[in-house]
Amino acid sequence: MDDKSGYLTRMKRIEGQARGIARMIDEEKYCIDILTQVSALTRALQTVATGLLDDHLKHCVLDAARMGDEDAAREKLQEASDAIKRLVRS
């Protein structure tokens, strides 16, 4: 993982955003304002997800390929492909 502290910082910020949205709902804020915050939260999570996927490709997949273990490399690539499919569906 290239930037563990960066990911943790982002996740704490995301956690705060989620609490803020819950508070907005509780306070019955304007729906469009809540949806705007949900959209921002979604983008923030997508940023973390794509960063982690990039780390997986740069480290896990590349390391398996460098070791010459074709089966392990294929497995790591399949994991990445499956993760991409999940991200695209969400």
Side-chain angles (χ1 to χ4, degrees), residues 12-25 41:
K12 287 178 183 180
R13 194 173 308 127
I14 288 167
E15 184 180 3
Q17 284 178 290
R19 281 194 305 271
I21 292 169
R23 190 169 37 258
M24 290 176 78
I25 292 169
L41 179 63

Side-chain angles (χ1 to χ4, degrees), residues 3-69:
D3 188 15
K4 180 179 177 178
S5 65
Y7 288 126
L8 290 173
T9 299
R10 286 187 197 118
M11 290 306 299
K12 287 178 183 180
R13 194 173 308 127
I14 288 167
E15 184 180 3
Q17 284 178 290
R19 281 194 305 271
I21 292 169
R23 190 169 37 258
M24 290 176 78
I25 292 169
D26 185 53
E27 295 171 0
E28 298 182 16
K29 297 293 183 182
Y30 187 56
C31 295
I32 297 303
D33 292 341
I34 297 170
L35 289 169
T36 299
Q37 292 306 310
V38 168
S39 179
L41 179 63
T42 300
R43 282 192 308 274
L45 282 169
Q46 288 171 338
T47 299
V48 170
T50 56
L52 290 168
L53 180 60
D54 187 55
D55 283 347
H56 179 71
L57 293 171
K58 287 179 180 176
H59 299 287
C60 301
V61 174
L62 193 55
D63 288 348
R66 283 183 179 147
M67 292 176 59
D69 187 343

